[in-house]
Amino acid sequence: MSEEQNKPLEGTPKSYSEDSIQALEGMEHVRMRPSMYIGDVGVRGLHHLVYEVVDNSIDEALGGYCDTISVIINEDNSVTVEDNGRGIPVGIHKKEGVSALEVVMTKIGAGGKFDKDSYKVSGGLHGVGVSCVNALSSHLKATVYREGKIWEQEYERGKSLYPVRAVGESDKTGTLVTFHPDEQIFQQTIEFSYDTLAGRMRELAFLNKKIRINLTDKRYLDKEGNPVFESFYSEEGLKEFIKFLDGNREMLINNVISLETDKNDIPVEVAMTYNTSFTENLHSYVNNINTHEGGTHLAGFRRGLTSTLKKYAETTGMLDKLKFEISGDDFREGLTAVISVKVQEPQFEGQTKTKLGNREVTSAVSQAVSEMLEIYLEENPADAKTIVQKVILAATARHAARKARELVQRKTVMSGGGLPGKLSDCSEQDPTKCEIFLVEGDSAGGTAKQGRDRNFQAILPLRGKILNVEKAMQHKVFDNEEIRNIYTAFGVTIGTEEDSKALNLEKLRYHKVVIMCDADVDGSHIATLILTFFFRYMRELIEQGHVFIATPPLYLVKKGSKKAYAWNDKERDALIAEYGQGAAIQRYKGLGEMNAEQLWDTTMDPSTRTLRQVTIDSLSEADRVFSMLMGDEVPPRREFIEKNASYANIDA
Ligand code: 0RA
């Protein structure tokens, strides 16, 4: 869908009616080019189908017509989304000559989205409408409760099976859509992930307060025999979102600072607090879409925050003894904030179209933040002092460590400085064909070096446990030898004119970065430390799909001249059964126990290995998990590990 089509058509009637639903173009194109509409046809695109349908109900709720939305994953992997809104209109659409419901469901771009005057701000990543979901579903059924009746219509691959019909009477109102994703389109999988959907529904509940969002998974039963169920509801919205995000961190001040206002017709909501950590943790949204790449609203937030805090610190004399400049970053160390704006005609830019471009939003957010923060600091002098002291501490540490930092900054690395001595590089020059394996320990590193294909595979051995960046100040991170080796080997630098922390990936030397650790508790701890570093300091590397985890086997089963590897107990048992009496089993305790050939065959050879790609479903969820796994609080970590452990039994 081009951006042009997202704009309101001229001459659209001012009020919602059957006619305001414009029918635009056929649905064949959606099936021919699904990724143009939903991004991809993998796991991500599959889940977007649900978000698209839910977004329509959220819009109805934002308009004040609906307060409860229920999402159900059915046993057959179909999904039902129900709301108690007004119900999609069912009367005859004048231009199309069929029910408006049919128009909404079968015409791309219909659904009232083109009516600028109606309250329409939410939108799936691509804002393509429920008709897209219909086109990409093998079967869809819409049920509407409206005007005292129950109406329904069914579709196959976007084509209606019969005209909208009344099937009963009811005094409730609302819309219910059940769709089954089309296996012809989603060839990888049609299995929905409960956790992925739960993460998004929780986020939506925080972003849109006072709307109840229920999630039921009928595929799984709990101990009492009931389907898995969670209900998401936030009375206070972003304020509670912040408390949730920082649940595993120690607070610096006891309050969440928040605002909710309209600036030049732009609804702006912000909530923020400071914790004792050293990471900046900002989440920005436009029309409920997570803007990973930030944009003008984020710039406005930063500007408002920096100028107001700076002014406060200066006028209270707190900076008098400071002999160097405070940089923008210093104001954001330990800051957790959520910025949510609603923009009528958002312009999305950037690599993943998740960067807001609308210029007017910067000053709206900046003004709103300045006004609110000024009052807060005035009324809460103790908090104000604590925050400014933290900023000064950050600035002091940064100043003291500027040398370490410069080492990974653009200038230095570009003007020479060789590759790390420990790196065994590959000979291929084209980065898109190159892979680098980060291997725990020198001995496994040695095996990997022998086993690899040196044409396109490089090896970087890492010494033991790398620094836990979650608990380290930034200068400690840049001062760490292993981490510096990673930057130099990768050819990644930090800092642009605009943003001192921005990552430069243009010179990335390997398009596949593979973390290769032992398949045990220690190995997964090391993998998690490396991932934490990537998440906090090289996030785009993950987001652009460069990061993978190798999967070494757990067992070798042998008998005579026959041998095979097993990656879990089930595979092992199957091999034992196949080989019969006398089968010998070797359990690999680590990569070091494999010889070079075995490591190549099982873990490094592209034609036989399995690499697990690291992706981020939800930034806020990932942030919480990392702060929990790597932070200070022990009980939540234990609980998480018990719930998710896959190696727990191996070393027991
Ligand atoms: C257009 C007009 C009206 C309602 C809706 C769309 C609507 C769409 C969806 C999609 C999911 N749930 C929905 N609920 C409502 C209302 C027109 C009127 O009643 O005046």
Side-chain angles (χ1 to χ4, degrees), residues 16 21 56-57 60 83 86-89 146 175:
Y16 245 135
I21 297 163
N56 289 293
S57 300
E60 190 66 1
D83 69 50
R86 293 167 295 176
I88 299 177
R146 201 180 150 93
T175 303

Side-chain angles (χ1 to χ4, degrees), residues 531-547:
L531 282 175
T532 308
F533 164 68
F534 285 159
F535 182 69
R536 294 290 177 213
Y537 286 84
M538 291 193 179
R539 188 169 300 166
E540 290 98 318
L541 198 71
I542 305 179
E543 289 180 333
Q544 292 177 22
H546 295 302
V547 181

Side-chain angles (χ1 to χ4, degrees), residues 490-551:
F490 286 15
V492 171
T493 54
I494 57 162
T496 59
E497 312 256 295
E498 256 178 57
D499 182 350
S500 66
K501 268 206 206 159
L503 207 61
N504 299 314
L505 288 182
E506 309 103 69
K507 298 235 162 63
L508 181 66
R509 302 178 63 246
Y510 315 92
H511 278 219
K512 279 206 175 80
V513 169
V514 185
I515 301 170
M516 188 158 71
C517 292
D518 291 344
D520 63 8
V521 172
D522 264 2
S524 48
H525 185 219
I526 292 167
T528 313
L529 286 166
I530 300 173
L531 282 175
T532 308
F533 164 68
F534 285 159
F535 182 69
R536 294 290 177 213
Y537 286 84
M538 291 193 179
R539 188 169 300 166
E540 290 98 318
L541 198 71
I542 305 179
E543 289 180 333
Q544 292 177 22
H546 295 302
V547 181
F548 298 84
I549 295 178
T551 54

